[in-house]
Amino acid sequence: MHVHFIVYLLALWFLVSTSISIFRLRTRIFHAAEADRAWHLNPSALINLAAASFVSVSILLGAGLFFQGRELVAFRILALIILATSAVDTLVAFRSPHSPKISRRMQLAPQLLSILLAFCALSFIYYVRSTPPTAEGFQRLSYPVKGSWRVVSGGRTGLTNDHHDQPPAQSYAVDLVYDEGPSEGRPVYAPIEGLVIVAVNDRLQGDPEPEGNVVVIRSEDGTEVWMAHLREGSVLVTVGDRVAREQIAECGSTGSAVEAHLHIHAQRGITPVPMLFGDKGAFLLRNDRLKIRD
């Protein structure tokens, strides 16, 4: 069964459960005049709403890292339904009479556990999406491509970045594919001013060297920016050239690439350096979509 069908079943369950709660609320309001007990707000309901809010935000922030298309839409709908149904449940609790048979401690225990777990989930998503602190600092780059592109691998952990720690120097690498057609042949630009120290132009797809055709630019502070899997015969620079954000090659699928894409990473020695792209200093994550003006 596809993921989005399972998610929609969960959403349906929340809707049915809330519909039953609304029916009970309506019945209690109708018989309110007959009730001999005072109406009150159950504090555990607010805690439950807070936990549901944490869960919803975690889904909204996290699903985009791992899913696309119908699956992503399904998860976003689920998050909104969880938030809406929890709000209704809180209203039901506000209208519910106090039940002396259950102690306040027993009422709050599962909700407190829920909010703790939800807070942990939200904290983890925040960690995955955050820019890593590093003693080496960051490398600011202009975008090496133009037009509409999508990040297929990127971030600070192996959950979203296939290159993380493989090898360590590529831990913050980013893989980009063109989002409006084939990536093969799309222009690649120097993302930084510096000296070309490696320029390979004659490797094919499946070449023993996994990076395929590659250009490496070294900046004034010694940072090396690698761009790999470049199209055979497309490299326009040679070792010793100084570049300043002009076109240097074309996107390709040489080396170990199974499809055309642009690999880019920065390192100082063998230490990985996180990259911040564009004027806003974006730290790119899996499934980020870029609209880069020409």
Side-chain angles (χ1 to χ4, degrees):
M1 183 179 291
H2 293 292
V3 172
H4 65 281
F5 287 136
I6 299 175
V7 176
Y8 281 133
L9 287 175
L10 286 173
L12 180 62
W13 182 84
F14 278 106
L15 287 175
V16 171
S17 174
T18 301
S19 298
I20 295 174
S21 297
I22 293 174
F23 176 77
R24 290 176 177 174
L25 170 64
R26 183 179 178 183
T27 302
R28 287 169 178 166
I29 292 175
F30 181 76
H31 294 291
E34 303 174 8
D36 193 26
R37 291 169 291 180
W39 299 93
H40 83 298
L41 175 61
N42 187 343
S44 64
L46 293 179
I47 297 178
N48 186 54
L49 178 61
S53 300
F54 279 128
V55 170
S56 299
V57 174
S58 297
I59 293 174
L60 288 172
L61 292 177
L65 294 172
F66 305 103
F67 298 96
Q68 300 181 60
R70 292 179 297 180
E71 286 80 9
L72 180 56
V73 171
F75 273 107
R76 287 175 173 170
I77 291 175
L78 175 63
L80 295 176
I81 287 177
I82 290 174
L83 190 59
T85 55
S86 296
V88 173
D89 286 339
T90 301
L91 177 61
V92 171
F94 179 77
R95 293 291 188 179
S96 298
H98 175 66
S99 176
K101 297 180 181 180
I102 304 177
S103 69
R104 183 65 55 82
R105 183 176 299 177
M106 291 294 293
Q107 289 178 347
L108 293 180
Q111 281 81 2
L112 289 174
L113 179 60
S114 296
I115 198 170
L116 177 62
L117 294 176
F119 179 76
C120 290
L122 185 58
S123 299
F124 177 72
I125 293 298
Y126 175 79
Y127 167 78
V128 172
R129 297 187 65 89
S130 63
T131 306
T134 170
E136 295 294 324
F138 306 98
Q139 182 61 57
R140 289 190 171 271
L141 303 174
S142 59
Y143 287 106
V145 289
K146 296 179 180 179
S148 299
W149 291 74
R150 178 169 55 86
V151 181
V152 295
S153 180
R156 65 181 299 175
T157 74
L159 291 174
T160 62
N161 194 335
D162 297 333
H163 296 287
H164 183 74
D165 211 28
Q166 297 182 10
Q170 297 185 26
S171 287
Y172 305 121
V174 171
D175 288 345
L176 300 168
V177 296
Y178 190 57
D179 212 22
E180 297 182 347
S183 302
E184 188 84 24
R186 299 295 304 179
V188 175
Y189 302 87
I192 193 173
E193 297 181 9
L195 178 71
V196 177
I197 60 172
V198 177
V200 180
N201 197 29
D202 58 357
R203 294 172 181 165
L204 303 173
Q205 186 175 25
D207 191 275
E209 297 297 331
E211 68 271 18
N213 294 313
V214 61
V215 170
V216 181
I217 302 171
R218 186 169 60 202
S219 65
E220 293 297 331
D221 65 358
T223 303
E224 297 177 0
V225 179
W226 291 61
M227 287 157 288
H229 307 305
L230 304 172
R231 189 176 187 178
E232 179 195 8
S234 72
V235 176
L236 303 176
V237 294
T238 58
V239 173
D241 289 347
R242 300 199 67 84
V243 292
R245 302 180 181 178
E246 69 265 28
Q247 181 177 345
I248 58 173
E250 294 177 359
C251 186
S253 56
T254 56
S256 62
V258 296
E259 63 177 346
H261 71 280
L262 176 64
H263 168 102
I264 179 171
H265 76 270
Q267 62 185 74
R268 294 192 184 110
I270 59 173
T271 303
V273 179
M275 300 171 292
L276 303 179
F277 289 89
D279 296 334
K280 296 182 178 180
F283 182 66
L284 299 182
L285 300 169
R286 176 187 288 172
N287 287 335
D288 280 351
R289 280 183 157 79
L290 312 175
K291 296 288 186 180
I292 307 163
R293 296 180 179 178
D294 293 340

